Amino acid sequence: MDSADLLQRGGRFAGYTAFRAIGHPRLLPMNLTVSVTYNCPSRCQTCDIWQKTVEDLSCEEYARIFRSLGHSPMWVTVSGGDQFIRADLPEVMRLIREIMRPTVINLPMNGIITKRIESLLPEIAKNTRGSNLVLNMSIDELGEKHDELRGAKHNYEKILDTYRFARELQKEYPHITVGIHTVISKFNVDRIPVIYEELIKLKPDSYITEIAEKRVELETTDKDITPSAEEYAGAADFLKSRMRERRSKHPVGRLVESLRLEYYDLVKRTLVEKTQVIPCYAGWASAHLAPDGNVWGCCVRAETMGNVRDHGYDFGKVWFSDTANQFRASVKRKECACPLANASYTNMLLSPVSLARVAKNYLA
């Protein structure tokens, strides 16, 4: 997705603004997160999603759901748990690409199941040609500190191996972007400069961070994991200065970084003001499909609008339901405010002021 692509979608962006303001036109989401499983071998200090057990959707079910969404999603994130636990992950990715045809498919990776990754990732690369496949390596610390924070022995060594494997795969499949993603929590916020300076030596196409927060999806509502506003501001300001000094030359990586430059300021304000700094479009333009078929407006609240299994796998029947309208009304009343990065991307693209700054960042 480049600046020209964004301009072409301008009319659609206006449609979402109207959808939020007056309820018409009714549109399916342009930003979709598909969680394919809660199962995960990690025991992260910032996530307890592994404790949840549900019956995961099958590929046959995904095919029916994706057909009901058509080409609406332009950005699809495939999340977990650890997605590579599913041996059929390449098929899920193929269905996403061939049915919905998003511009960007984002796949976060913890790198733990090394042999499975090396077996499945080449097929995933092949199956996603035509979209931009973003492989984000999740690295929250360095060496044993990362292993401790992630609750998995030798995780740091394995994620670096995965990074190198992805780089080699990129030579054959240029639609791949290889990035590094760090969750900023109270456990590492004071070490972000050290972590960044070491990881940037790997020369990722993009380096991004997200703040740890209380989410119903992750079972973290009772966890003390979020850094203070002051602590986060220090880390964010450092990252912004370094990012401006070292801009990615990869077009998708540069776009991601341009969004993050705006995102860091958005998070800083949200932590201080504790309200929606710009209008939130969770429930209008961004959505989350849980592994068991529940549809959420966002994963922070994780309030079900309904389950596609109960509606003939028709996403629209859930998305345009009375329950969904109730969720949207709550968001519009600003009964919640959060710095969720994935939803913030959409919010920034649909905010004229934020979009102008993102475009300026991209062209700088």
Side-chain angles (χ1 to χ4, degrees):
M1 181 170 58
D2 55 22
S3 55
D5 192 25
L6 288 176
L7 290 173
Q8 291 174 2
R9 296 176 184 270
R12 189 174 174 205
F13 289 179
Y16 283 109
T17 303
F19 184 18
R20 190 182 192 278
I22 62 175
H24 295 283
R26 300 198 309 173
L27 299 170
L28 291 167
M30 69 176 187
N31 181 356
L32 177 67
T33 297
V34 180
S35 289
V36 295
T37 187
Y38 291 138
N39 295 332
C40 188
S42 298
R43 297 296 180 264
C44 300
Q45 294 183 40
T46 57
C47 176
D48 282 339
I49 200 170
W50 58 272
Q51 296 188 31
K52 303 171 74 168
T53 303
V54 298
E55 180 185 351
D56 294 341
L57 292 164
S58 67
C59 285
E60 291 75 16
E61 290 176 303
Y62 277 126
R64 295 177 66 180
I65 298 165
F66 296 160
R67 290 190 192 103
S68 74
L69 280 157
H71 295 168
S72 182
M74 56 183 276
W75 184 298
V76 176
T77 298
V78 181
S79 70
D82 188 333
Q83 312 91 313
F84 285 88
I85 282 178
R86 293 191 58 146
D88 61 357
L89 181 60
E91 176 63 10
V92 175
M93 301 293 278
R94 184 188 70 80
L95 293 170
I96 289 172
R97 168 55 203 163
E98 293 191 1
I99 297 175
M100 295 191 292
R101 297 184 176 275
T103 304
V104 176
I105 304 175
N106 179 36
L107 182 62
M109 303 173 63
N110 63 25
I112 292 179
I113 315 175
T114 309
K115 291 184 179 180
R116 176 66 68 84
I117 291 171
E118 292 178 354
S119 172
L120 300 185
L121 195 55
E123 188 176 356
I124 289 171
K126 179 180 178 181
N127 289 351
T128 55
R129 284 182 296 191
S131 293
N132 293 293
L133 176 62
V134 181
L135 303 177
N136 269 324
M137 308 295 146
S138 298
I139 309 179
D140 295 341
E141 254 289 2
L142 305 176
E144 293 181 359
K145 290 182 181 293
H146 175 77
D147 298 347
E148 180 181 353
L149 189 52
R150 285 278 171 162
K153 292 182 178 179
H154 309 298
N155 191 178
Y156 189 72
E157 175 184 338
K158 290 180 178 180
I159 191 64
L160 291 184
D161 285 343
T162 300
Y163 177 88
R164 287 187 282 267
F165 183 79
R167 277 299 199 192
E168 286 300 312
L169 198 61
Q170 189 181 34
K171 295 176 182 178
E172 182 177 357
Y173 297 98
H175 70 290
I176 290 177
T177 302
V178 183
I180 293 178
H181 177 279
T182 298
V183 175
I184 300 180
S185 68
K186 64 176 296 182
F187 307 113
N188 66 357
V189 63
D190 60 333
R191 283 178 45 81
I192 290 302
V194 176
I195 294 169
Y196 171 87
E197 296 296 356
E198 184 62 28
L199 295 181
I200 207 65
K201 293 177 183 177
L202 297 172
K203 298 181 179 180
D205 294 325
S206 67
Y207 177 82
I208 61 176
T209 69
E210 182 171 4
I211 189 170
E213 57 187 319
K214 297 178 184 292
R215 298 187 196 175
V216 173
E217 179 205 20
L218 303 182
E219 300 278 335
T220 56
T221 55
D222 60 349
K223 280 179 168 284
D224 182 19
I225 58 177
T226 307
S228 69
E230 294 76 16
E231 290 172 327
Y232 178 80
D237 289 344
F238 166 81
L239 290 169
K240 286 182 62 180
S241 66
R242 286 293 188 269
M243 193 177 295
R244 292 189 185 282
E245 292 171 0
R246 178 201 170 275
R247 296 309 310 277
S248 176
K249 296 181 180 179
H250 191 286
V252 176
R254 190 176 184 86
L255 174 62
V256 170
E257 289 185 348
S258 299
L259 286 162
R260 288 290 163 154
L261 281 168
E262 178 69 7
Y263 167 75
Y264 292 145
D265 285 337
L266 191 66
V267 177
K268 286 164 58 178
R269 288 187 59 190
T270 302
L271 291 176
V272 173
E273 299 175 26
K274 301 186 185 305
T275 188
Q276 294 176 22
V277 176
I278 59 176
C280 179
Y281 282 82
W284 288 276
S286 57
H288 194 120
L289 179 63
D292 58 356
N294 278 315
V295 176
W296 307 331
C298 73
C299 65
V300 174
R301 291 173 55 163
E303 297 174 10
T304 183
M305 298 175 169
N307 194 297
V308 289
R309 282 172 166 159
D310 300 327
H311 295 273
Y313 300 97
D314 187 331
F315 192 95
K317 288 183 177 179
V318 177
W319 192 243
F320 301 123
S321 67
D322 289 340
T323 305
N325 288 335
Q326 291 169 16
F327 173 83
R328 285 190 273 268
S330 173
V331 174
K332 195 172 182 179
R333 289 193 297 267
K334 296 187 176 183
E335 293 177 355
C336 55
C338 75
L340 179 66
N342 208 321
S344 292
Y345 275 15
T346 308
N347 300 341
M348 290 185 290
L349 292 175
L350 295 173
S351 165
V353 174
S354 292
L355 178 58
R357 285 197 289 256
V358 171
K360 183 179 180 180
N361 291 336
Y362 186 86
L363 297 171

